[in-house]
């Protein structure tokens, strides 16, 4: 995959407001935050999407994420937060290096709106889809 802005940040070639770092992960503030404390949690391994991440990098990411969430909530005083993770252009991913957005939420204080428009699916269609995905897991 091609080099991204996040790889440059991980290598220290571009500055960031770092909040956490370990062997597998770097977390820093989003440069265009949706609210105070909007943080990006990024694996150091340069994978484009979650499905392309190695097991080791994924485990490291999974360990670091709750830790950063706890810190963001404490630092901002938010009582809620969203974790947002975009994969691919159709999902809104702009930087092609896996990352989680940790977005603290307080009523009226976040520039984030989430609209769910559920697709009606019958029991049989759900069962078919579950079988199809399960075969590939
Ligand atoms: P995506 O749409 O790919 O899920 O989100 C990419 C995020 O990276 C955006 O929220 C954007 O503000 C943030 N971002 C892009 N470039 C930089 C940068 O150079 N530094 C930091 N700290 N954040 C960035």
């Amino acid at each position: 995959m091609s080099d991204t802005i996040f790889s440059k940040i991980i290598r220290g070639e571009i500055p960031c407001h770092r909040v956490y770092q370990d062997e597998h992960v770097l977390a820093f503030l989003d440069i265009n935050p949706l609210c105070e404390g909007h943080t990006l949690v990024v694996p150091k391994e340069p994978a484009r999407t979650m499905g392309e991440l190695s097991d080791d990098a994924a485990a490291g990411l999974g360990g670091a994420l709750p830790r950063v969430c706890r810190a963001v909530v404490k630092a901002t005083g938010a009582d809620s937060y969203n974790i947002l993770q975009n994969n691919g252009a159709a999902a809104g991913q702009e930087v092609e290096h896996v990352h989680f957005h940790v977005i603290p939420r307080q009523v009226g204080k976040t520039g984030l709106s989430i609209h769910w428009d559920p697709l009606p699916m019958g029991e049989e269609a759900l069962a078919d889809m579950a079988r199809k995905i399960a075969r590939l897991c």
Side-chain angles (χ1 to χ4, degrees):
M1 70 175 253
S2 57
D3 211 23
T4 67
I5 193 98
F6 289 174
S7 290
K8 292 188 173 79
I9 290 174
I10 288 163
R11 291 198 299 267
E13 295 165 12
I14 291 179
C16 71
H17 292 283
R18 187 176 71 206
V19 302
Y20 176 75
Q21 175 162 230
D22 65 25
E23 182 192 349
H24 290 292
V25 172
L26 178 67
F28 51 90
L29 295 183
D30 195 296
I31 204 168
N32 282 314
L34 294 177
C35 58
E36 288 183 0
H38 178 173
T39 299
L40 300 172
V41 183
V42 182
K44 290 184 175 173
E45 182 176 281
R48 216 165 41 87
T49 63
M50 274 298 284
E52 294 166 47
L53 212 51
S54 71
D55 288 354
D56 265 4
L61 192 54
L65 198 50
R67 182 181 183 131
V68 174
C69 290
R70 286 191 292 271
V72 167
V73 163
K74 276 190 192 154
T76 59
D79 54 9
S80 306
Y81 57 97
N82 290 101
I83 297 176
L84 195 63
Q85 206 271 316
N86 303 323
N87 295 273
Q93 183 180 16
E94 286 178 5
V95 178
E96 292 190 322
H97 183 132
V98 176
H99 54 280
F100 283 76
H101 297 257
V102 178
I103 305 167
R105 303 294 297 269
Q106 285 167 295
V107 175
K109 282 196 179 177
T110 308
L112 172 69
S113 60
I114 299 175
H115 173 73
W116 291 76
D117 194 5
L119 174 73
M121 273 182 91
E123 192 53 39
E124 205 173 314
L126 286 170
D128 279 351
M129 182 51 71
R131 272 193 295 273
K132 201 168 168 182
I133 295 170
R135 269 199 303 272
L136 297 168
C137 275

